[in-house]
Amino acid sequence: MIELTINNIKVQAEENMTILDAAKSVGIHIPTLCHMKDLFPTGACRICVVEVDGMKGLIPSCSYPVAEGMEIKTNSTRVKNARKTIVELLVENHPQDCLICVRNGNCELQNLAKKYSLREHRYIGEKKNHAIDISSSSMERDPAKCILCGRCVRTCNEIQKVGAIDFTNRGFRTNVTTPYNKGLNVSDCILCGQCILVCPTAALRERSSTKEVMNAISNKNKFVVAQIAPAVRATIGEEYNLPLGSNVTGQLVTGLRRLGFKRVFDTNFSADLTIMEEASELADRIINKKVLPMFTSCCPGWVKYLEHNHPEMIDNLSTCKSPHEMEGAVLKSYYAKKMGIDPKDMYVVSIMPCTVKKFESARPELNYNKIQDVDAVLTTRELVRLFNMMGIDFDDLPEDEFDNPLGESSGAAVIFGTSGGVMEAALRTAYFNITGKELEKLEFYDIRGLEGIKKSIIHIGEMELNVAVVNGIGNVEQMISEIKEGKIKYHFIEVMACPGGCINGGGQPIHQKPEKVKKRIQALYEIDQKMSNRKSYNNVSIQNIYKEFLIEPNSHIAHNILHTSYTDRRKLIK
Amino acid sequence: MVEQLFQKYEPSNRSNLIAILQDIQNVFGYLPENVIQQVADYLKLPLSSVYGVATFYNQFRLKPLGKNVIRVCRGTACHVKESENILSALELELKIKAGETTRDKLFTLETVACIGACSIAPVVNINDEYYGRVTIREIPKILKKFRLENKAQIKQNTGEE
Ligand code: SF4
Ligand code: SF4
Ligand code: FES
């Protein structure tokens, strides 16, 4: 232990602790921009400077370790002036269109300008002038709003390990962009949106679909329906200052009805359907000695990654469409027929925690009878904007229930929203399918949690299954090399591109606080725990849809409607 | 042929990046896009990182040079002698900006920090020749010389065939 003083307060700190962390431990906040928890500091922005007694210059606290007897001032006039100048320079090089910016009210640059009382324009200089990248259907990049903190670059390179964007050029011309500035859509980007979550400004943001959706709702000839992903119900409350992990399913349903959706369904229904199809596909692959291991296909970011980087493994991907795509396909076939609606007039909107789902919904493979399964995807953040615009006061909303039959679901479906959940849900059903017996203990703790790779050996009857869960796309290369090495013969592997799973998806409320993710995950497991039915095959609506329409999992008709194919993207971009 | 350029470097060793890029530029005169991709694959680096490095250092070019390279000195002495006007005049005449190459690939226009010929400022250097105390009025004449040379060369080549 080391003793030092910060702002005349005695502080006990561990050796190697940074000044920033030591200050935090006694409740002294130092602003940061380029700093990222758990990553090596770059010291790029210098907003975190402090004054250390006996040292000439100001010291960046995020990267400087404490030492015995140090006397530190975090708020001296000199420090404040230095920080203010940094903020002023950033602001002067910024478009300053706060009033019409999506991050208005949730922007770190705005907050700093407020904190340091910027009241005049002291430096007026040349402003950056870069075009907005709208090449992708999921995300936009607006480099004019970039303050070059590098957090997106580090997230993409060090956490996701995709490496789609990097710093280019230097000096005034420095720009964070894709190779040859060609646009996200022609890069290796998987559109996971993790970079949006860390960006302090609106330089990275989702491609908004709110206009299209509201236009469809006001079109009298359209039958507009909504479906909600499991992960949205446990996070949207954060935008209304509800306690972390609040489950607000009932209010969401009411809110969507008030927006004008004719029906509100639960993507969890199709998560159960996915499990039925996927568990049967797995059994078929094992019994008939087809390609193994089978990879889950619910995460379109992971699918896109594989298509770019390992097209030789496309046959390992489950052919199951992702749950919201299945829901769309079933709505436009089974449900439309039941209701006597022309599927062409139906407009399906998915409320998702995810940015890649936008790209996914536009994939040409994802249609039935040439009608696209899903028409529009709104992220959690966009839905909040619509609620606000339409005067829907979330706090006082009464609760309501989903429409049926595509609204019923099991506890297995809700945990799809977190890493390990798809695997756990599938195992609950696979156990029954193979043994004919009900599983006693439903929780698979080995594959829960936030570790990068979670492995387990599962005994089902005579069978011994090697399974693994990859949490975050940055860990997938290690798994793939292990598979290629072939020491262990894996049967089933779940991959989710976002660390923590969809609950931490790129379309979720922007928070910058890793501890939030754990609380959100807990919320999903609690919903599962409280459900009377926690197994997909016991979902009565699922049993009915097979009886009335799909016959059995992996039947010919199920294949036509619920399964898909993939594209070798290596050829596309190189 | 490109593979030969890499072979002497250890694959997957990122610290070789700059040396490899220099070798490539020595062969091609610039860094062709498909070769950059191959470098990325060889070193197991994302394309964006290689592109980032290639654009960070002024020594690397991403586009081939024109037949004649015009360098306008922007050093202090030349600046005082208003070399900025010379640059503008060249940009106007060639219809390109500094750092670009004309569509017919005849000229590339660049700026340099200081050529070291301050006594004859403002200085323009084209290939191996130095033009001192340049005035805007001289510029069309200078360019014409290179254009004519080029025409003569084409004639000679086609004549020989
Ligand atoms: S969306 Fe994901 S893959 Fe694309 S640049 Fe951002 S972090 Fe990288
Ligand atoms: S785009 Fe955002 S996160 Fe990335 S460097 Fe710029 S300001 Fe930082
Ligand atoms: S936060 Fe310390 S230098 Fe940026």
Side-chain angles (χ1 to χ4, degrees), chain A residues 139 156 162 164-165 189-193 195:
Chain A
M139 295 172 46
C156 193
V162 173
I165 45 174
C189 171
I190 60 166
L191 306 170
C192 64
C195 51

mmCIF file of all heavy atoms in Angstrom, chain A residues 139 156 162 164-165 189-193 195, ligand 1:
data_model
loop_
_atom_site.group_PDB
_atom_site.id
_atom_site.type_symbol
_atom_site.label_atom_id
_atom_site.label_comp_id
_atom_site.label_asym_id
_atom_site.label_seq_id
_atom_site.Cartn_x
_atom_site.Cartn_y
_atom_site.Cartn_z
ATOM 1 N N MET A 139 -25.619 1.306 -40.008
ATOM 2 C CA MET A 139 -24.943 2.343 -39.240
ATOM 3 C C MET A 139 -24.524 3.503 -40.122
ATOM 4 O O MET A 139 -24.365 3.358 -41.316
ATOM 5 C CB MET A 139 -23.662 1.759 -38.623
ATOM 6 C CG MET A 139 -23.932 0.690 -37.614
ATOM 7 S SD MET A 139 -22.416 -0.112 -37.117
ATOM 8 C CE MET A 139 -21.333 1.269 -36.836
ATOM 9 N N CYS A 156 -13.106 -1.929 -31.815
ATOM 10 C CA CYS A 156 -13.151 -2.773 -33.013
ATOM 11 C C CYS A 156 -11.904 -3.651 -33.123
ATOM 12 O O CYS A 156 -11.988 -4.802 -33.524
ATOM 13 C CB CYS A 156 -13.303 -1.910 -34.260
ATOM 14 S SG CYS A 156 -13.737 -2.859 -35.719
ATOM 15 N N VAL A 162 -12.163 -7.175 -35.029
ATOM 16 C CA VAL A 162 -12.584 -7.166 -36.425
ATOM 17 C C VAL A 162 -11.637 -6.275 -37.219
ATOM 18 O O VAL A 162 -11.193 -6.616 -38.310
ATOM 19 C CB VAL A 162 -14.037 -6.655 -36.559
ATOM 20 C CG1 VAL A 162 -14.413 -6.484 -38.026
ATOM 21 C CG2 VAL A 162 -15.005 -7.628 -35.896
ATOM 22 N N ALA A 164 -12.144 -3.192 -38.552
ATOM 23 C CA ALA A 164 -12.740 -2.590 -39.747
ATOM 24 C C ALA A 164 -12.331 -1.137 -39.920
ATOM 25 O O ALA A 164 -12.265 -0.628 -41.033
ATOM 26 C CB ALA A 164 -14.258 -2.689 -39.687
ATOM 27 N N ILE A 165 -12.064 -0.457 -38.813
ATOM 28 C CA ILE A 165 -11.743 0.971 -38.894
ATOM 29 C C ILE A 165 -10.421 1.250 -38.181
ATOM 30 O O ILE A 165 -10.021 0.511 -37.286
ATOM 31 C CB ILE A 165 -12.838 1.841 -38.237
ATOM 32 C CG1 ILE A 165 -13.254 1.238 -36.886
ATOM 33 C CG2 ILE A 165 -14.043 1.996 -39.137
ATOM 34 C CD1 ILE A 165 -14.221 2.080 -36.091
ATOM 35 N N CYS A 189 -16.403 -4.717 -41.749
ATOM 36 C CA CYS A 189 -17.258 -4.399 -40.598
ATOM 37 C C CYS A 189 -18.429 -5.370 -40.511
ATOM 38 O O CYS A 189 -19.057 -5.701 -41.506
ATOM 39 C CB CYS A 189 -17.772 -2.974 -40.766
ATOM 40 S SG CYS A 189 -19.020 -2.507 -39.575
ATOM 41 N N ILE A 190 -18.721 -5.828 -39.301
ATOM 42 C CA ILE A 190 -19.859 -6.731 -39.129
ATOM 43 C C ILE A 190 -21.070 -5.982 -38.579
ATOM 44 O O ILE A 190 -22.061 -6.580 -38.218
ATOM 45 C CB ILE A 190 -19.506 -7.928 -38.226
ATOM 46 C CG1 ILE A 190 -19.083 -7.466 -36.827
ATOM 47 C CG2 ILE A 190 -18.389 -8.766 -38.864
ATOM 48 C CD1 ILE A 190 -19.056 -8.608 -35.811
ATOM 49 N N LEU A 191 -20.958 -4.662 -38.478
ATOM 50 C CA LEU A 191 -22.088 -3.804 -38.104
ATOM 51 C C LEU A 191 -22.643 -4.093 -36.720
ATOM 52 O O LEU A 191 -23.817 -3.867 -36.444
ATOM 53 C CB LEU A 191 -23.204 -3.917 -39.166
ATOM 54 C CG LEU A 191 -22.753 -3.642 -40.605
ATOM 55 C CD1 LEU A 191 -23.859 -4.008 -41.597
ATOM 56 C CD2 LEU A 191 -22.375 -2.181 -40.788
ATOM 57 N N CYS A 192 -21.769 -4.595 -35.840
ATOM 58 C CA CYS A 192 -22.216 -4.953 -34.497
ATOM 59 C C CYS A 192 -22.602 -3.733 -33.672
ATOM 60 O O CYS A 192 -23.352 -3.835 -32.708
ATOM 61 C CB CYS A 192 -21.124 -5.727 -33.765
ATOM 62 S SG CYS A 192 -19.624 -4.766 -33.475
ATOM 63 N N GLY A 193 -22.061 -2.570 -34.035
ATOM 64 C CA GLY A 193 -22.442 -1.351 -33.325
ATOM 65 C C GLY A 193 -21.777 -1.186 -31.965
ATOM 66 O O GLY A 193 -22.115 -0.262 -31.226
ATOM 67 N N CYS A 195 -18.965 -0.076 -31.505
ATOM 68 C CA CYS A 195 -18.265 1.206 -31.577
ATOM 69 C C CYS A 195 -19.220 2.362 -31.298
ATOM 70 O O CYS A 195 -18.818 3.389 -30.768
ATOM 71 C CB CYS A 195 -17.600 1.361 -32.940
ATOM 72 S SG CYS A 195 -18.716 1.052 -34.315
HETATM 73 S S1 SF4 C 1 -19.759 -2.078 -36.074
HETATM 74 FE FE1 SF4 C 1 -18.445 -3.570 -35.009
HETATM 75 S S2 SF4 C 1 -17.173 -4.389 -36.673
HETATM 76 FE FE2 SF4 C 1 -18.060 -2.498 -37.477
HETATM 77 S S3 SF4 C 1 -16.575 -0.873 -37.052
HETATM 78 FE FE3 SF4 C 1 -17.982 -0.939 -35.281
HETATM 79 S S4 SF4 C 1 -17.030 -2.331 -33.782
HETATM 80 FE FE4 SF4 C 1 -16.029 -2.674 -35.775
#
